[in-house]
Amino acid sequence: MFEQAQIQEFKEAFTIMDQNRDGFIDKNDLRDTFCALGRLNVGNDELDEMLKMAPGPINFTIFLSMFGEKLKGTDPEETIINAFKIFDPEGQGVLKGEDIKYYIMSQADKFTEAEVEDMFTNFPLDVAGNLDYKNLCYVITHGEDKEAE
C-alpha cells in the first residue's frame, strides 16, 4: 500500500503522537498532540469522535491502515499533473498565481479568499509570482516537498 520511505514517515509521526510511549494513540495522546500544534482547547467530544474512526485501539498497524483508507481516494500524481497541464499548454511546470487564484475562486467548488491565502501560505509562489504545480502535485501524492529530499 505504501512505499518503505512513506511507512518510515508514518512511523515517525506515530511516535511523535504516542506521547506516553505505550504503543497506542489514546485520547490523552491526541490532546497532547493538539497542544503541541497550538490548539489548546480541544473538547472531549471532538477527541472521542476522532477515536471512533478507528476500529479499535490505535496501534501503528491501525494508524497505517487508517491513513491508507484516507489516501485511497487520492488520484495518482500523473493524473493531477495532467489536470494542471490544461492551464499550462507550454508545459513550463508553473502557473501564474493570479491565474490560479482566479480559476479556483470562480469555477466549480469555489475557494474563498481565505482558502486561497491558506493555499499560498502552504505552497508559496516563487519570486515571479508563479505556482510550481509539479511540486504541489508531488506533495499531494507523497506528503513531502520533492526539493527537501
Side-chain angles (χ1 to χ4, degrees), residues 99-138:
D99 291 346
I100 288 292
K101 182 177 179 178
Y102 168 76
Y103 290 127
I104 64 178
M105 289 182 71
S106 64
Q107 310 293 318
D109 294 331
K110 298 176 178 93
F111 277 42
T112 65
E113 182 81 29
E115 289 170 326
V116 172
E117 292 307 316
D118 189 40
M119 183 187 81
F120 287 151
T121 298
N122 290 306
F123 299 99
L125 302 176
D126 65 17
V127 293
N130 296 319
L131 175 69
D132 177 353
Y133 69 82
K134 289 184 177 180
N135 190 48
L136 172 63
C137 293
Y138 185 88

Side-chain angles (χ1 to χ4, degrees), residues 52-143:
K52 282 184 200 174
M53 297 168 95
I58 305 174
N59 60 18
F60 181 65
T61 303
I62 297 294
F63 182 80
L64 201 57
S65 68
M66 289 174 71
F67 267 98
E69 288 298 315
K70 289 288 184 191
L71 296 175
K72 194 185 298 182
T74 304
D75 289 321
E77 182 177 2
E78 183 180 347
T79 301
I80 300 170
I81 287 174
N82 287 337
F84 277 104
K85 282 182 179 178
I86 293 169
F87 303 103
D88 181 23
E90 286 101 38
Q92 300 293 316
V94 296
L95 299 172
K96 291 185 173 128
E98 284 302 313
D99 291 346
I100 288 292
K101 182 177 179 178
Y102 168 76
Y103 290 127
I104 64 178
M105 289 182 71
S106 64
Q107 310 293 318
D109 294 331
K110 298 176 178 93
F111 277 42
T112 65
E113 182 81 29
E115 289 170 326
V116 172
E117 292 307 316
D118 189 40
M119 183 187 81
F120 287 151
T121 298
N122 290 306
F123 299 99
L125 302 176
D126 65 17
V127 293
N130 296 319
L131 175 69
D132 177 353
Y133 69 82
K134 289 184 177 180
N135 190 48
L136 172 63
C137 293
Y138 185 88
V139 172
I140 290 170
T141 56
H142 293 86

Side-chain angles (χ1 to χ4, degrees), residues 4 12 19 29 55 81 119 133 144 148:
Q4 192 59 41
E12 290 171 19
Q19 297 283 314
D29 292 327
I81 287 174
M119 183 187 81
Y133 69 82
E144 63 186 46

